[in-house]
Amino acid sequence: MTQDFQPVAGGITAPRGFVAAGIHAGLKKEKLDLALIVSEVPATAAAVYTRNRVKAAPLRVTAEHLKAGLARAIVANSGYANACTGERGYRDAREMAVVTAGAVGCEPWQVVVASTGVIGVPLPMDKVTAGIQAAASRLAVEGGRDAAAAIMTTDTRIKEIAIQLPLGGETVTIAGIAKGSGMIHPNMGTMLCFLTTDAAIEQEDLEQALRVVVDRTFNMVTVDGDTSTNDMAVILANGCAGNAPLTIEEHAAFRSGLEYVCRYLARLIARDGEGASKLITVEVYGAASEVEARQVARSVAGSNLVKSAIFGADANWGRIICAAGYSGAEIDPDKIDIYLESHAGREQMAAGGEPLPFSEAKAAAILAEEDITIILDLNRGRAAATAWGCDLTYDYVKINASYRT
């Protein structure tokens, strides 16, 4: 489990040496739709991308740029995904980098490019270009929250956090913003996430930390079973904290802080799932390995039948053990204990894979809460994992029945 940290104000620009802006470029009718995040000095960079074989043009351009392991700026638009737009889409993504580089004073290969929105529609580059230039003129330490708002699509709330911790003799800050509400499912990225830190850290260590943390956080979130074409998580570390080289223990502390930030954002994404009324946390204990625990947790969190039962406040634990059974993990169904928990209390539903007499009234009270935890003890070992999801409501269908129009 990660260490507990106290969040600090400032969001994505809380780390030293970062500025940001979010503006309305006209890509959406009214809301902010173009974000710019800039490090005042070159930053070590790492990223993790969607495993969907259909990859949007911005993602391809970003992957090319980050081969050098350095970046200065992140430009991201919402409203248009620039996915499945052919050679024009690729040229447009590269042009976003060129325009951004000119506006902030860096090289095009130092620019991370991201887009989110409707697939299969070309970018209106006149608006994008003007928007980038306008955003560059408004860059400020105070611009982080607008940047977080500008990457939202069907999100109903801004997702941002910053924390601090002592490293290498200095106070280091780690921050992040994310967007994600629909098309959320494991196999990274599940959403867009931009992370910043003023820590001085080697690129190889930064990339390793990001990959480990993503597997434990964003790859444990599921809303609807769809893995998008544009998903990525990117981290920039500009070294402005001036910390000494990290020891082995301090690398572990950095990773713990990064995991806290990503876990916080992952929970916000699950809670903000399209049409969701409840956050579902699935905790798996007693697994033979962490891989096994993750398999079971993700399977239960992703089950449409489980999600529907939670929406209806139906304590149908049979759906939970069923989802664990088809997870692919080599579990023993005759050893599984199942519990439901929320602020209203805790109730055990099954022991050793068999039903227990339980209070329907108490179970209903537990399931009436907005934050519900499903607990499975596999009784096979000591490994554990947590996954997050949300209930499946009528509103999910309504939102996605008219997303493009």
Side-chain angles (χ1 to χ4, degrees):
M1 301 299 290
T2 57
Q3 179 183 342
D4 204 15
F5 294 87
Q6 186 64 40
V8 298
I12 195 70
T13 54
R16 282 162 282 194
F18 286 96
V19 289
I23 61 113
H24 176 243
L27 307 179
K28 295 190 291 193
K29 290 182 180 179
E30 297 176 351
K31 297 179 180 180
L32 303 182
D33 52 25
L34 191 139
L36 190 57
I37 303 163
V38 177
S39 173
E40 295 173 351
V41 298
T44 300
V48 182
Y49 309 102
T50 183
R51 294 181 191 169
N52 192 323
R53 290 186 63 83
V54 180
K55 291 179 170 58
L59 189 150
R60 291 160 49 209
V61 168
T62 293
E64 292 171 4
H65 289 181
L66 290 188
K67 286 179 181 178
L70 293 172
R72 275 281 315 279
I74 299 170
V75 60
N77 73 273
S78 57
Y80 295 78
N82 194 14
C84 304
T85 46
E87 184 59 31
R88 171 179 169 177
Y90 182 76
R91 289 197 307 269
D92 288 346
R94 289 181 62 85
E95 181 64 15
M96 287 178 67
V98 169
V99 174
T100 299
V104 305
C106 69
E107 297 296 326
W109 60 265
Q110 294 178 310
V111 178
V112 169
V113 184
S115 299
T116 182
V118 178
I119 294 172
V121 181
L123 284 169
M125 283 304 292
D126 55 338
K127 295 180 180 179
V128 172
T129 298
I132 292 172
Q133 293 167 342
S137 71
R138 301 180 196 178
L139 287 169
V141 172
E142 299 78 18
R145 192 164 181 83
D146 282 348
I151 63 174
M152 294 166 57
T153 49
T154 55
D155 306 62
T156 66
R157 64 195 73 185
I158 289 174
K159 303 171 179 68
E160 63 176 355
I161 184 177
I163 64 164
Q164 291 182 329
L165 67 158
L167 286 179
E170 302 290 343
T171 297
V172 165
T173 306
I174 305 173
I177 61 174
K179 64 82 52 182
S181 187
M183 293 189 80
I184 306 295
H185 196 57
N187 288 337
M188 196 55 214
T190 72
M191 56 341 107
L192 292 181
C193 176
F194 305 125
L195 302 154
T196 59
T197 180
D198 50 20
I201 183 171
E202 294 294 327
Q203 198 278 335
E204 183 178 346
D205 296 324
L206 185 68
E207 183 170 12
Q208 182 182 30
L210 181 64
R211 289 187 179 279
V212 169
V213 165
V214 162
D215 273 345
R216 292 180 175 176
T217 57
F218 297 129
N219 277 346
M220 297 300 289
V221 178
T222 181
V223 168
D224 51 16
D226 279 297
T227 302
S228 182
T229 56
N230 291 58
D231 306 324
M232 68 173 80
V234 179
I235 184 167
L236 305 187
N238 67 10
C240 287
N243 57 280
L246 302 184
T247 64
I248 293 175
E249 292 76 14
E250 286 172 329
H251 276 295
F254 175 83
R255 192 174 70 183
S256 182
L258 183 61
E259 185 168 343
Y260 182 92
V261 167
C262 292
R263 182 179 291 258
Y264 182 93
L265 294 172
R267 283 176 54 86
L268 289 181
I269 289 169
R271 183 63 187 86
D272 198 26
E274 289 177 341
S277 65
K278 299 174 184 178
L279 170 67
I280 303 171
T281 300
V282 180
E283 297 178 351
V284 174
Y285 300 97
S289 68
E290 187 175 347
V291 171
E292 178 179 274
R294 289 181 193 173
Q295 282 181 288
V296 174
R298 293 196 302 190
S299 185
V300 173
S303 164
N304 283 336
L305 288 179
V306 171
K307 291 153 67 72
S308 298
I310 298 298
F311 171 62
D314 180 10
N316 191 340
W317 66 271
R319 293 181 175 180
I320 297 170
I321 198 169
C322 176
Y326 62 64
S327 67
E330 295 295 328
I331 60 175
D332 184 346
D334 295 330
K335 291 183 177 181
I336 299 176
D337 302 332
I338 299 175
Y339 306 79
L340 294 177
E341 185 176 71
S342 72
H343 291 304
R346 176 178 173 127
E347 187 79 354
Q348 185 171 3
M349 324 298 295
E354 296 186 3
L356 289 176
F358 65 89
S359 167
E360 289 283 358
K362 185 175 180 181
I366 291 170
L367 294 174
E369 297 288 322
E370 289 187 0
D371 290 0
I372 296 155
T373 301
I374 298 171
I375 302 167
L376 296 91
D377 190 337
L378 305 183
N379 291 300
R380 281 170 46 83
R382 302 180 64 180
T386 303
W388 300 274
C390 59
D391 57 344
L392 183 60
T393 71
Y394 308 124
D395 286 338
Y396 176 83
V397 176
K398 291 179 181 178
I399 291 168
N400 284 285
S402 58
Y403 181 80
R404 192 176 66 86
T405 55

